[in-house]
Amino acid sequence: MSDKIYEILEKEITKEKENELKKLLEPYKGGLAGIAQINPIVGDLEYNSKKIVQHINLAQNIGLDTVIFPELALTGVLIEDIAKRHPFIVDENLKWLNEISKITKKTTAIVGFIEKNGDEFCNSVAILSDGKIQNILGKSGGSVVINGIKYGILIGDDCSDINDDIDVLINCSASESRTNKEQIKHGILSFTAKKYGVPLIYVNQVGANDSL
């Protein structure tokens, strides 16, 4: 089953392919989650928003309950230094986030963005569904119930505990690759998932920050 889904996703997604995916996923209704490992351009809010909308629309068309995006998907990673020099980008990313929320229907989108908390800038995630922003979780993460499933959400490399009973653990990340980084993070997330006895969904950005 998974091989067939990957085969479809590797090609351009036409309406015919969407219908094929929807049919394949039909028996698994209830808790269907997809990950959208996009390659955002740092600071290009319009480009990134269009990518996010494209994946939300696909998720809705094939009947997913939830689609999960990486940490800072809307702005691109390493945005904090830029935000300190040009704070207007924070306001702009909130405007785009609000516009993105309007296209959501029953499928819930978990989208990474940046928000201001006092003098600090926070990597946060927004929970979008039914045409609006339903909830916002800050850098410390938290839990949210989506279609009866309780997700614990961790953001970035700060894989601290979720002080709650959860059904599924999510890590929205934008981790760059370096020596031993993958093994270290795998160990931390594996320990946390085993501690709660739940499955783990890990979503990271792809590509490189060659747009800086």
Side-chain angles (χ1 to χ4, degrees), residues 12-198:
E12 183 180 354
I13 304 297
T14 61
K15 194 65 182 176
E16 181 183 357
K17 294 296 182 184
E18 282 185 1
N19 291 335
E20 190 175 350
L21 278 171
K22 187 174 183 178
K23 186 176 180 180
L24 281 170
L25 296 171
E26 190 66 36
Y28 304 96
K29 283 293 183 183
L32 273 176
I35 61 174
Q37 298 196 141
I38 63 173
N39 181 14
I41 296 175
V42 176
D44 193 337
L45 300 177
E46 182 175 357
Y47 173 87
N48 298 338
S49 295
K50 287 179 179 177
K51 279 286 182 184
I52 291 168
V53 166
Q54 177 187 355
H55 285 77
I56 291 175
N57 283 335
L58 173 60
Q60 292 182 149
N61 291 343
I62 65 176
L64 297 186
D65 291 322
T66 310
V67 58
I68 308 159
F69 292 86
E71 173 189 20
L72 295 174
L74 184 52
T75 57
V77 75
L78 300 179
I79 196 66
E80 291 182 50
D81 290 337
I82 297 173
K84 288 175 182 177
R85 296 195 301 271
H86 308 287
F88 73 90
I89 200 167
V90 179
D91 294 331
E92 287 299 311
N93 104 126
L94 292 174
K95 291 177 184 177
W96 281 102
L97 183 68
N98 188 58
E99 291 302 311
I100 292 169
S101 72
K102 293 176 183 178
I103 66 103
T104 59
K105 299 172 185 174
K106 294 302 180 185
T107 296
T108 297
I110 301 174
V111 179
F113 73 107
I114 191 168
E115 65 173 340
K116 200 168 189 297
N117 184 7
D119 295 328
E120 299 295 322
F121 297 99
C122 302
N123 298 357
S124 301
V125 296
I127 314 301
L128 315 178
S129 67
D130 293 320
K132 61 183 179 181
I133 300 171
Q134 300 287 348
N135 198 357
I136 288 176
L137 301 178
K139 179 66 175 176
S140 58
S143 61
V144 61
V145 177
I146 301 171
N147 292 339
I149 297 175
K150 195 167 194 177
Y151 294 92
I153 300 177
L154 301 171
I155 303 172
D157 292 333
D158 184 14
C159 297
S160 54
D161 286 346
I162 298 289
N163 296 318
D164 211 345
D165 291 328
I166 56 174
D167 300 310
V168 179
L169 181 65
I170 295 172
N171 181 224
C172 296
S173 184
S175 285
E176 72 285 357
S177 177
R178 63 174 183 264
T179 305
N180 296 328
K181 176 70 175 286
E182 182 179 350
Q183 292 89 337
I184 292 170
K185 188 155 189 181
H186 181 277
I188 293 170
L189 290 172
S190 176
F191 172 83
T192 307
K194 287 177 182 177
K195 176 181 177 180
Y196 288 100
V198 297

